[in-house]
Amino acid sequence: MNDNIISVRNLHKKFGNLEVLKGVNIDVNRGDVVVVIGPSGCGKSTFLRCLNLLETPTCGEIVLEGEYVFKKGEKGEKADKQTEHEIAKNINLHRQKIGMVFQQFNLFPHLTILKNITLAPVQLKKMSEQEATEKALALLKKVGLEDKANAYPPTLSGGQKQRIAIVRALAMEPDVMLFDEPTSALDPEMVGEVLKVMTELAEDKMTMIVVTHEMGFAKEVGTRIIFMDDGVIKEENSPKEFFKNPKDSRLKEFLSKIL
């Protein structure tokens, strides 16, 4: 069985005349915890949003589990008709396979926690209401929030909301989880409870791509660390080599300011 789960080739993204991604190439294997770091505005969040097709890339290729979900040449030429048909067919399935956790939780404030979690699996006919409820309650127990099933998001702390957001993504049984600075909106004392859940996911061999400023998490949990700057990947290595022997001069400068 091929361990590769995501392949990205020559990924570009422009917003008008502003080129944010300038040719990103990466392979992610099952069970990888890929931690993406870099200065603000370097394209990290845009890269994640392109992977989930929340942003449409300008050109490049994205392959998920051997199937194209995006393919467009640099000069604007699209995939052949057969590939285009496959991409159109795969896009919704693709989104179900990739869970995403944002900085700002994005929970529905007028729905209970349980309803927030079960809504998508039931509406997309992935599970019955009973199956989705059982799954949600089991996940809530796993993150220590089983007593919050009938509460509403405004009554929860930031750390609790983010753990619920993770559970909501997990309820879809994704193959990959994307985290876009999941602790950046939290008070420092709440960061640990979210990182603990993410660490447990990594221990369970969940494939994860994490944009974060939490260097402790990167060192201890990451299997690979990527440094992005100016829309490209400048360096990639194991945590030990990445932090002890950085090679790129921009990375050396970046680490000297944050460590």
Side-chain angles (χ1 to χ4, degrees):
M1 181 179 172
N2 187 351
D3 274 348
N4 180 267
I5 194 164
I6 295 176
S7 285
V8 176
R9 294 290 175 268
N10 200 30
L11 195 70
H12 289 250
K13 175 61 181 177
K14 281 185 176 181
F15 294 97
N17 293 323
L18 178 65
E19 191 172 21
V20 178
L21 299 180
K22 302 177 181 178
V24 174
N25 296 279
I26 188 173
D27 289 298
V28 179
N29 294 327
R30 291 181 194 281
D32 276 353
V33 179
V34 178
V35 178
V36 184
I37 69 170
S40 296
C42 71
K44 305 183 300 292
S45 292
T46 300
F47 168 59
L48 279 197
R49 292 174 68 84
C50 283
L51 287 182
N52 210 16
L53 298 176
L54 292 173
E55 298 286 356
T56 304
T58 305
C59 64
E61 296 180 4
I62 301 172
V63 178
L64 175 70
E65 296 180 325
E67 296 184 324
Y68 281 108
V69 290
F70 182 83
K71 185 176 183 181
K72 189 175 181 182
E74 285 188 55
K75 296 178 181 175
E77 67 271 17
K78 293 188 177 181
D80 58 65
K81 287 293 176 191
Q82 176 62 28
T83 307
E84 272 192 348
H85 173 70
E86 288 172 2
I87 289 171
K89 187 177 67 177
N90 291 337
I91 190 165
N92 285 330
L93 188 61
H94 169 72
R95 284 184 174 138
Q96 291 180 38
K97 289 181 175 181
I98 297 190
M100 187 152 182
V101 177
F102 303 86
Q103 296 177 40
Q104 297 293 346
F105 326 130
N106 292 2
L107 299 172
F108 295 111
H110 63 291
L111 299 179
T112 65
I113 297 308
L114 187 61
K115 195 68 178 176
N116 263 282
I117 297 165
T118 59
L119 189 65
V122 173
Q123 283 201 345
L124 292 168
K125 302 193 185 323
K126 200 172 170 78
M127 301 175 197
S128 69
E129 186 92 45
Q130 184 180 344
E131 287 171 329
T133 298
E134 288 172 2
K135 175 87 176 173
L137 292 173
L139 287 168
L140 283 171
K141 186 172 184 180
K142 193 170 183 180
V143 300
L145 292 173
E146 64 267 40
D147 60 328
K148 300 297 184 184
N150 295 313
Y152 288 83
T155 68
L156 304 186
S157 70
Q160 289 172 330
K161 288 177 188 173
Q162 195 60 293
R163 282 185 280 163
I164 298 298
I166 294 171
V167 164
R168 182 180 56 181
L170 290 173
M172 288 296 292
E173 299 180 336
D175 295 336
V176 182
M177 287 281 284
L178 309 179
F179 292 85
D180 187 7
E181 298 192 18
T183 59
S184 65
L186 301 178
D187 292 334
E189 65 203 45
M190 296 175 185
V191 169
E193 61 193 53
V194 173
L195 293 180
K196 179 175 180 286
V197 172
M198 294 169 64
T199 301
E200 288 168 357
L201 285 179
E203 289 168 354
D204 290 341
K205 303 301 181 189
M206 169 61 76
T207 307
M208 299 157 66
I209 304 176
V210 183
V211 170
T212 186
H213 295 294
E214 300 291 339
M215 294 301 120
F217 177 86
K219 287 178 182 177
E220 292 165 27
V221 184
T223 57
R224 289 155 60 202
I225 317 292
I226 282 170
F227 176 65
M228 280 188 76
D229 189 40
D230 196 27
V232 295
I233 292 173
K234 289 283 184 75
E235 189 158 332
E236 175 179 348
N237 218 324
S238 67
K240 187 176 179 182
E241 282 299 303
F242 185 92
F243 288 105
K244 281 196 172 179
N245 300 306
K247 295 169 181 63
D248 181 80
S249 58
R250 182 70 183 90
L251 172 58
K252 289 178 183 176
E253 180 192 351
F254 179 78
L255 289 178
S256 73
K257 290 177 179 175
I258 63 167
L259 294 179

